[in-house]
Amino acid sequence: MPESLKNPTEVRKISKGFEKASVEEILRWCWNRFGDRAAIGTSFQGAGLVINHISRSLGCNFPLFTLDTGLLFPETLELKAQLETRYGISIESLIPEQTVQEQERELGPELWNKKPNLCCTLRKVIPLQKKLSNLDVWITGIRREQTAERSQAGILELYHFDGIMDRFILKLNPLANWTRDQVQQFLKKHDIPVNLLISKGYRSIGCQPCTRPVGAHDSERAGRWTGFDKAECGIHTFLGANI
Ligand code: SF4
């Protein structure tokens, strides 16, 4: 990573400038500086699909990865296959160290019902940490209107990834300003396939045991981890505060 981009003041300045830039300009900036040292992480929920579509139309062929916990809906896996065919790409699946069955043998059945934070750490956060250790930029589909926690997200953020190795990582949230409607309209306009569960009332789609359909007026992530005081799986919080 260029030394200037390890400077929090410089990153904040660039991020501020991005508030007025188009998504195309932001993605071109990233591709020109980082190429495939930047990658799009997606759970195929809308924003990631928009970012991928725009990137490819610009010739910015960022690699894509997803967290496959072994507990995803068949509809999600089907969508992954459809996207790979449509764009002629391979989307890397990040797999936990243990299968669901191995985890069950070691930690008991349905860990997600007893200790969802531990389950998310084992099945999502640790595989992601490993992936990010080989990247300079993690491109995400975070949008500010999704949750209170995400409302302060910058378009470009700098994190201290590894204090021992003194490694940094940039997080790029090119659609931070977009609304859910903007995302949906873009997907429709460009005929991009979406998760079939959306038409069944699912507004935020993760692992099967921790996702349920919600009403049209519920918040986007209301259907996640019902019964727990938990709105994030940890992948967007384990890095701590941006610097
Ligand atoms: S979302 Fe649920 S099932 Fe998936 S990793 Fe987290 S706790 Fe486990």
Side-chain angles (χ1 to χ4, degrees):
M1 184 187 301
E3 284 302 314
S4 64
L5 290 171
K6 295 178 187 170
N7 179 333
T9 307
E10 178 64 16
V11 170
R12 274 196 289 274
K13 194 171 132 199
I14 295 170
S15 186
K16 200 171 167 200
F18 282 168
E19 296 290 338
K20 291 192 185 116
S22 66
V23 177
E24 287 82 355
E25 287 168 324
I26 295 169
L27 292 170
R28 265 201 209 100
W29 174 91
C30 186
W31 181 253
N32 289 340
R33 274 158 191 77
F34 295 98
D36 62 8
R37 293 287 300 166
I40 302 169
T42 180
S43 52
F44 316 117
Q45 298 209 49
L49 307 186
V50 172
I51 295 166
N52 176 55
H53 186 88
I54 296 176
S55 299
R56 273 160 218 288
S57 68
L58 296 171
C60 304
N61 295 323
F62 298 109
L64 265 76
F65 65 85
T66 193
L67 292 161
D68 187 346
T69 60
L71 292 156
L72 298 180
F73 287 91
E75 288 87 345
T76 304
L77 298 173
E78 172 58 28
L79 176 58
K80 175 179 185 262
Q82 272 182 281
L83 292 164
E84 288 180 320
T85 302
R86 163 146 181 188
Y87 293 102
I89 57 174
S90 174
I91 301 171
E92 182 185 7
S93 289
L94 308 185
I95 311 275
E97 271 177 27
Q98 292 186 319
T99 64
V100 176
Q101 292 73 23
E102 286 166 344
Q103 177 174 291
E104 194 168 314
R105 280 199 288 277
E106 189 179 316
L107 298 168
E110 299 185 356
L111 188 60
W112 47 88
N113 278 333
K114 295 166 204 138
K115 295 182 179 173
N117 286 339
L118 176 59
C119 188
C120 280
T121 297
L122 295 171
R123 310 205 73 73
K124 292 186 174 185
V125 176
I126 292 173
L128 177 67
Q129 279 174 320
K130 284 187 188 156
K131 178 69 188 172
L132 296 186
S133 67
N134 288 311
L135 289 176
D136 287 331
V137 188
W138 172 24
I139 305 171
T140 90
I142 277 188
R143 289 181 296 106
R144 290 177 184 144
E145 69 165 19
Q146 285 175 308
T147 61
E149 290 85 355
R150 297 182 183 191
S151 64
Q152 301 301 317
I155 294 180
L156 185 68
E157 298 175 329
L158 178 67
Y159 291 88
H160 216 171
F161 180 71
D162 182 338
I164 299 167
M165 302 293 287
D166 203 27
R167 272 209 73 230
F168 294 84
I169 187 147
L170 290 161
K171 193 168 170 185
L172 184 68
N173 307 312
L175 299 195
N177 282 329
W178 281 40
T179 64
R180 183 180 175 85
D181 279 352
Q182 277 179 287
V183 171
Q184 297 308 319
Q185 280 167 22
F186 185 98
L187 295 172
K188 206 168 169 188
K189 182 175 172 191
H190 296 276
D191 198 25
I192 297 169
V194 295
N195 198 315
L196 292 175
L197 293 173
I198 291 172
S199 60
K200 296 178 183 169
Y202 291 80
R203 301 189 76 196
S204 173
I205 302 163
C207 298
Q208 292 194 57
C210 302
T211 307
R212 65 175 175 84
V214 294
H217 299 295
D218 285 322
S219 74
E220 279 191 42
R221 289 175 68 84
R224 305 290 290 279
W225 301 287
T226 303
F228 289 95
D229 181 18
K230 177 172 166 70
E232 294 283 349
C233 61
I235 64 170
H236 291 297
T237 53
F238 83 91
L239 287 166
N242 56 312
I243 55 176

